[in-house]
Amino acid sequence: MSLTVVGSIAFDAVKSPFGEREKMLGGAAVHFSLAASFFTDVRPVGPVGDDFGADEFAILERRGVQTGDIERVSGGQSFFWRGRYEYDLNVAHTEDTQLGVFGDFEPKLSDEAKAADTLFLANIQPDLQRQVSAQCDAAGFSALDSMNLWIDTAKDSLLAAIAEVDCLVLNDAEIRQLTGESNLARAARAVMGHGPRAVVAKQGEYGAALFTEDEKFFALPGFPLEDVRDPTGAGDSFAGGFLGYLDSHDGELDEACLRRAMGYGTVLASFNVEEFGTERVARLTREEVDERFEALHEMTQFEPLPVR
Amino acid sequence: MSLTVVGSIAFDAVKSPFGEREKMLGGAAVHFSLAASFFTDVRPVGPVGDDFGADEFAILERRGVQTGDIERVSGGQSFFWRGRYEYDLNVAHTEDTQLGVFGDFEPKLSDEAKAADTLFLANIQPDLQRQVSAQCDAAGFSALDSMNLWIDTAKDSLLAAIAEVDCLVLNDAEIRQLTGESNLARAARAVMGHGPRAVVAKQGEYGAALFTEDEKFFALPGFPLEDVRDPTGAGDSFAGGFLGYLDSHDGELDEACLRRAMGYGTVLASFNVEEFGTERVARLTREEVDERFEALHEMTQFEPLPVR
């Protein structure tokens, strides 16, 4: 099985109360790909500049990520994001965003990228998401992330993009904003009215909730951590674990399978935030993933014995 | 088994985007008692004024709540709270609080109240909580709720009260405020350093998390509801379901038992918010409680099959 992701491949500058980095590998497609690499062949699609060198490719390639669709634009600069987190890490401030080569990005996928069984459209301009989606018509399952910027400035395009995917993966506040519905359960149903058969509401440290057909609901808490250093990329790592597991699954993507995928998403997101950027996931092992998945399972199960 | 609770027995005026009530039965000890009444004999302790009449007693007595320790103060007015919720029901505004007879409250418990097996100190001034705790020395399990007001104005008393109970039940933001620790897992450990062997972090619509000894963790999402009309008393209904179940449990209060109790707390809180004040829980049936408990169980379980 194989998984294509389109999204930012970037450099990040991040400051949190627990340290800072001036220039490190980042971007949604990077965090997603590293997380998904524990489950399947993953291929990020997107442009980088001359500044993206052997060290950055090496981080991806050591995890077996297929880098053939990372387009190096001569004379260009890679996407750059600078952000700062408060002592309450839930509060983030974007201090700078430079689109660089992403400003003129026209997705041209290789045959291998087009042939993917599973597709993830990370947060980019929704018309670009649709261009990629149109090229990946073999994908049996596709999902999309977005952000408040596109809800504000390109809502019609975003709704058209959402109508074409099987699953929306979005922060819960943005699901509310997108639908104008303050109740999350109602907002998720409204999204499903546009097309998707599943909605994943990302809830930061509170975890994530899954809404599926027939009013099915599932939720997992965030994995409890005493040391969180940099939340950047947590949502994309979640999506990478979630879709990576789904792509590796041979057979119908039923409710049981989607729930396990939520578990792997939760686990990958939790490793991602333990250190800066890709530092923790880059040296993560499959054994550690499975161990934490078991721990998450133990932390969320209970036996419904009757009351005496 | 039997359960004593001390806390406000009140009238509430509530306005939400889904309706309003000018004067209805409310208060922490009332919401707690109605929820706990599905599991055990519960006895609220606290003062009311002349305005508290047969209709209010009837709501409690129909659920089998023992009202003998509700002290009617001649010439007094019952505790009164007026609040308003925004369209986002997570945002609440207190518009008026009148202590009434609670201003001169000196807890004098009946022998039956003192003999309780389980004790809940709902959110009142921490020195009053300690006076009640000292009178209930037979209780095998005790828990305490509080609020930001007492963290700001009576922190030493509050910490002394917390040191005497087995379990702290508090909103997650207040656990952070109390300990000065922004990471919830660390904050919960800090609370346990003061004495309690369990900490329940209430997280509003996101559910609740349980921290216990040996770094054990458990969490449940809020029960997903498409209709939430009045969140008032959700936390106290949670505590009522939680401690009511624990009191009904014959045997050691081990991890499995605490987890089931978290489930019953979640269920009772979810019914409470569906309508105004006590309206929904007052006509709730045990069958409905068990049905929703089963549904919650179904929504939170997953099977950890190995990845192919």
Side-chain angles (χ1 to χ4, degrees):
Chain A
M1 309 291 277
S2 69
L3 172 53
T4 288
V5 51
V6 62
S8 58
I9 301 163
F11 287 107
D12 287 346
V14 172
K15 189 171 180 176
S16 91
F18 307 103
E20 58 187 301
R21 298 288 184 278
E22 257 310 298
K23 189 178 182 188
M24 63 182 175
L25 179 61
V30 166
H31 287 289
F32 178 94
S33 294
L34 290 175
S37 72
F38 290 89
F39 306 96
T40 193
D41 273 345
V42 57
R43 185 177 289 270
V45 174
V48 295
D50 294 327
D51 49 355
F52 200 91
D55 290 352
E56 287 73 36
F57 278 106
I59 292 173
L60 295 166
E61 284 161 2
R62 272 199 299 268
R63 285 287 332 136
V65 172
Q66 304 291 328
T67 58
D69 278 77
I70 298 180
E71 186 191 348
R72 208 140 172 272
V73 180
S74 181
Q77 287 282 312
S78 299
F79 187 101
F80 176 75
W81 180 79
R82 179 183 294 278
R84 176 174 60 82
Y85 295 92
E86 294 192 7
Y87 184 66
D88 176 350
L89 293 169
N90 297 304
V91 185
H93 302 279
T94 290
E95 299 191 328
D96 192 11
T97 304
Q98 294 174 22
L99 282 181
V101 292
F102 242 94
D104 302 313
F105 178 44
E106 290 180 18
K108 295 175 291 290
L109 277 62
S110 67
D111 289 344
E112 291 87 345
K114 289 178 186 169
D117 302 292
T118 306
L119 173 65
F120 184 59
L121 307 166
N123 167 38
I124 53 173
Q125 208 284 339
D127 291 321
L128 289 178
Q129 292 179 315
R130 295 186 72 193
Q131 286 177 39
V132 173
S133 187
Q135 294 177 55
C136 289
D137 52 8
F141 193 83
S142 58
L144 176 152
D145 189 11
S146 192
M147 71 184 294
N148 51 4
L149 173 68
W150 310 122
I151 301 173
D152 290 334
T153 63
K155 189 167 172 180
D156 290 346
S157 294
L158 176 57
L159 287 174
I162 289 171
E164 294 167 3
V165 296
D166 300 290
C167 179
L168 178 68
V169 179
L170 199 61
N171 290 332
D172 60 351
E174 290 164 347
I175 294 174
R176 294 184 161 104
Q177 184 192 351
L178 176 69
T179 58
E181 171 57 71
S182 76
N183 178 287
L184 185 62
R186 285 177 182 268
R189 302 293 161 218
V191 169
M192 292 169 75
H194 289 286
R197 66 179 177 93
V199 174
V200 175
K202 296 183 287 182
Q203 303 174 314
E205 69 170 297
Y206 295 113
L210 170 70
F211 297 85
T212 45
E213 290 166 315
D214 305 323
E215 310 226 331
K216 281 258 188 194
F217 174 84
F218 176 67
L220 284 176
F223 191 88
L225 296 169
E226 296 211 352
D227 289 295
V228 177
R229 290 194 179 81
D230 172 17
T232 312
D236 296 303
S237 300
F238 179 95
F242 180 74
L243 287 163
Y245 175 74
L246 291 180
D247 186 59
S248 75
H249 182 79
D250 193 8
E252 196 198 348
L253 301 186
D254 57 11
E255 180 75 15
C257 175
L258 287 166
R259 289 182 175 199
R260 279 194 296 278
M262 291 280 289
Y264 285 108
T266 299
V267 165
L268 269 297
S270 75
F271 280 114
N272 178 77
V273 303
E274 287 185 339
E275 297 181 21
F276 279 80
T278 62
E279 292 167 13
R280 181 67 183 93
V281 177
R283 66 162 202 279
L284 187 63
T285 67
R286 180 58 200 251
E287 196 179 6
E288 290 173 313
V289 170
D290 291 338
E291 201 177 310
R292 189 166 286 184
F293 184 87
E294 282 300 322
L296 177 69
H297 184 256
E298 197 285 321
M299 285 170 181
T300 53
Q301 307 301 291
F302 66 103
E303 287 305 315
L305 292 187
V307 176
R308 295 173 62 91
Chain B
M1 309 292 276
S2 70
L3 173 53
T4 288
V5 52
V6 61
S8 58
I9 301 163
F11 287 108
D12 287 345
V14 173
K15 189 171 181 176
S16 91
F18 307 102
E20 58 186 302
R21 299 288 186 277
E22 257 310 300
K23 189 178 181 186
M24 62 182 176
L25 179 61
V30 166
H31 287 290
F32 178 94
S33 294
L34 290 174
S37 72
F38 289 89
F39 306 95
T40 194
D41 273 344
V42 57
R43 184 177 289 271
V45 173
V48 295
D50 293 328
D51 50 354
F52 201 89
D55 289 352
E56 286 73 34
F57 278 106
I59 293 173
L60 294 167
E61 284 161 1
R62 273 200 297 269
R63 285 285 334 135
V65 172
Q66 304 291 327
T67 57
D69 279 77
I70 298 180
E71 185 192 350
R72 208 140 171 274
V73 179
S74 181
Q77 288 281 311
S78 299
F79 186 102
F80 177 76
W81 179 78
R82 180 183 291 278
R84 176 174 60 81
Y85 295 92
E86 294 192 5
Y87 184 66
D88 176 350
L89 293 169
N90 297 304
V91 185
H93 302 278
T94 290
E95 299 191 329
D96 192 10
T97 303
Q98 294 174 22
L99 284 181
V101 293
F102 242 94
D104 302 312
F105 177 44
E106 290 180 19
K108 294 176 292 293
L109 278 62
S110 69
D111 289 343
E112 291 87 346
K114 288 178 187 170
D117 302 292
T118 307
L119 172 65
F120 184 59
L121 307 167
N123 166 38
I124 52 173
Q125 209 282 339
D127 291 321
L128 289 177
Q129 292 179 316
R130 295 187 71 193
Q131 286 176 38
V132 173
S133 186
Q135 293 177 55
C136 288
D137 52 8
F141 192 83
S142 58
L144 176 153
D145 189 11
S146 191
M147 71 184 294
N148 51 3
L149 173 66
W150 310 122
I151 301 173
D152 290 335
T153 64
K155 189 168 171 180
D156 289 346
S157 293
L158 177 56
L159 288 174
I162 289 171
E164 294 166 4
V165 296
D166 300 290
C167 179
L168 178 68
V169 179
L170 199 61
N171 289 333
D172 61 351
E174 290 163 345
I175 294 174
R176 293 183 162 105
Q177 185 191 350
L178 176 69
T179 57
E181 173 57 70
S182 76
N183 178 287
L184 185 61
R186 285 177 182 268
R189 301 294 161 218
V191 169
M192 293 169 75
H194 289 285
R197 66 179 177 93
V199 174
V200 175
K202 297 184 286 182
Q203 304 174 314
E205 70 169 297
Y206 295 113
L210 170 71
F211 297 85
T212 45
E213 291 166 314
D214 305 323
E215 310 227 330
K216 279 261 187 193
F217 175 84
F218 177 67
L220 284 175
F223 193 87
L225 297 169
E226 296 211 352
D227 289 297
V228 177
R229 290 193 179 82
D230 172 16
T232 312
D236 296 303
S237 300
F238 179 95
F242 179 74
L243 286 163
Y245 175 74
L246 290 181
D247 186 58
S248 76
H249 182 79
D250 194 7
E252 196 200 347
L253 302 186
D254 58 11
E255 180 75 16
C257 175
L258 288 166
R259 288 182 175 198
R260 280 195 296 278
M262 291 280 289
Y264 285 108
T266 300
V267 165
L268 269 297
S270 75
F271 280 114
N272 177 78
V273 302
E274 287 185 340
E275 297 180 21
F276 279 80
T278 63
E279 291 167 13
R280 182 66 184 94
V281 177
R283 66 162 204 280
L284 188 64
T285 66
R286 179 59 198 252
E287 196 179 5
E288 290 173 312
V289 170
D290 291 338
E291 202 177 310
R292 189 166 285 185
F293 183 87
E294 281 300 322
L296 177 69
H297 184 255
E298 197 284 321
M299 285 170 181
T300 53
Q301 307 301 291
F302 65 103
E303 287 304 316
L305 292 188
V307 176
R308 294 173 60 90

